[in-house]
């Protein structure tokens, strides 16, 4: 039976006064989430916190249904867990949007969301915005999520190189977020896991300052319990210009 262990760390960074990131680790559900809030101090904190709470609540509710998707043994391509995670992130989007409509001081708030659901051999990523999911296996690193950002669209269109994108003044403009509108398109990606696989979720406070090979090296060289704080320290040493949140997960069985 597959089993997982994890660790998480969130830090305000070196330049910001408030931490508008939120994260969730629920090992009973096999659920891990990082959200990076936007919309000013109160709005960003509220949006990210409400999103992680809603995703957790929606999946707990799904597990209590008669057609519990967590008990379904079908192959990954047919797994109802992917739709359950998609619906949970969509529910978070609606909750954030409705809250912002009711509270004028929260108008326009939203959040990125990177979520990972581990069940048996299945890893399912639900994704909106530019927070990221990485996987390391046998010395290779893959970015599982694709940034929903203006700069990434420019790279894909051949208008910018990857190196130019790193320094673009537009790099913080995202093209999808949870809660800015009532509905959002959620990307869902599934992976069959193997013993020894390691995963990392992070806000862009990490990925803007630490590259994929450095993330791979940290996941391979350190115990998973030490990875988040080690990577946060590295981002802060390079300026820490944003909040930094890291969740690391390892399949141990």
């Amino acid at each position: 039976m597959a089993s997982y262990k994890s660790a998480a760390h969130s830090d305000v960074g070196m330049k910001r006064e408030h931490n508008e990131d939120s994260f969730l680790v629920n090992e009973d559900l096999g659920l891990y989430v990082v959200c990076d809030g936007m919309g000013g101090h109160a709005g960003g904190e509220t949006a990210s916190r409400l999103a992680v709470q809603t995703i957790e609540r929606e999946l707990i509710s799904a597990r209590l249904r008669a057609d519990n998707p967590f008990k379904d043994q079908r192959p990954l391509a047919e797994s109802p867990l992917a739709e359950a995670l998609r619906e949970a992130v969509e529910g978070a989007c609606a909750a954030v949007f409705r809250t912002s409509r009711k509270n004028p001081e929260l108008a326009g708030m939203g959040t990125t969301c990177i979520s990972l659901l581990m069940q048996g051999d299945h890893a399912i990523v639900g994704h909106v915005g530019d927070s990221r999911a990485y996987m390391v296996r046998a010395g290779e690193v893959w970015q599982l999520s694709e940034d929903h950002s203006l700069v990434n669209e420019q790279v894909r269109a051949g208008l910018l190189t990857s190196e130019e994108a790193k320094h673009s003044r537009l790099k913080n403009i995202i093209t999808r977020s949870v809660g800015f509108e009532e509905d959002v398109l959620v990307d869902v990606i599934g992976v069959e896991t193997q013993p020894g696989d390691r995963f990392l979720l992070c806000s862009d406070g990490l990925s803007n300052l630490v590259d994929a090979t450095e993330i791979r090296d940290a996941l391979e060289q350190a115990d998973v319990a030490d990875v988040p704080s080690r990577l946060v320290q590295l981002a802060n040493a390079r300026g820490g210009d944003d909040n930094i949140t890291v969740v690391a997960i390892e399949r141990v069985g």
Side-chain angles (χ1 to χ4, degrees):
M1 183 67 181
S3 61
Y4 298 88
K5 66 179 183 178
S6 65
H9 188 55
S10 186
D11 190 82
V12 70
M14 307 300 288
K15 305 286 178 66
R16 302 289 178 92
E17 292 185 3
H18 303 282
N19 191 346
E20 296 175 34
D21 290 358
S22 295
F23 72 89
L24 173 77
V25 171
N26 184 326
E27 293 190 322
D28 179 51
L29 275 178
L31 175 64
Y32 311 88
V33 186
V34 170
C35 290
D36 179 356
M38 302 158 291
H41 163 39
E45 284 189 21
T46 301
S48 65
R49 183 177 67 251
L50 182 57
V52 298
Q53 291 172 343
T54 304
I55 292 166
E56 181 181 39
R57 185 175 66 247
E58 293 276 332
L59 286 166
I60 289 171
S61 296
R63 194 168 63 171
L64 295 172
R65 295 193 317 237
D67 61 339
N68 178 2
F70 289 84
K71 292 290 188 186
D72 198 290
Q73 299 298 312
R74 279 179 284 178
L76 181 61
E78 302 165 31
S79 172
L81 270 180
E83 190 57 29
L85 183 57
R86 185 195 309 277
E87 290 174 355
V89 178
E90 290 172 345
C93 184
V96 172
F97 179 79
R98 287 194 299 264
T99 301
S100 72
R101 292 292 293 268
K102 289 179 195 166
N103 300 277
E105 72 276 13
L106 301 177
M109 71 176 177
T111 182
T112 69
C113 177
I114 189 78
S115 53
L116 177 65
L117 193 54
M118 311 294 257
Q119 187 69 19
D121 295 335
H122 298 169
I124 299 167
V125 175
H127 169 53
V128 177
D130 63 355
S131 294
R132 291 183 179 178
Y134 294 91
M135 182 181 83
V136 171
R137 175 185 291 168
E140 298 288 329
V141 61
W142 290 270
Q143 183 181 325
L144 299 178
S145 56
E146 180 151 344
D147 294 353
H148 301 141
S149 68
L150 183 59
V151 162
N152 189 49
E153 289 186 3
Q154 291 176 321
V155 171
R156 291 176 66 192
L159 301 174
L160 282 181
T161 66
S162 297
E163 191 58 33
E164 288 169 338
K166 289 180 187 176
H167 306 290
S168 170
R169 58 188 176 82
L170 305 176
K171 69 180 181 180
N172 292 324
I173 299 176
I174 63 173
T175 54
R176 278 188 232 174
S177 69
V178 168
F180 187 68
E181 298 176 323
E182 192 164 12
D183 300 305
V184 72
L185 180 63
V186 183
D187 286 356
V188 178
I189 308 108
V191 177
E192 294 272 5
T193 67
Q194 299 175 5
D197 285 353
R198 293 187 173 197
F199 296 83
L200 186 128
L201 309 181
C202 67
S203 58
D204 68 345
L206 183 81
S207 56
N208 283 341
L209 296 172
V210 179
D211 67 27
T213 57
E214 292 171 315
I215 289 170
R216 177 202 64 196
D217 292 347
L219 285 167
E220 289 200 310
Q221 294 167 9
D223 187 276
V224 73
D226 299 324
V227 168
S229 57
R230 178 180 289 202
L231 287 172
V232 165
Q233 287 172 5
L234 181 57
N236 275 331
R238 292 177 179 174
D241 55 6
D242 199 353
N243 307 145
I244 311 154
T245 301
V246 181
V247 179
I249 306 102
E250 180 183 6
R251 178 171 169 184
V252 293

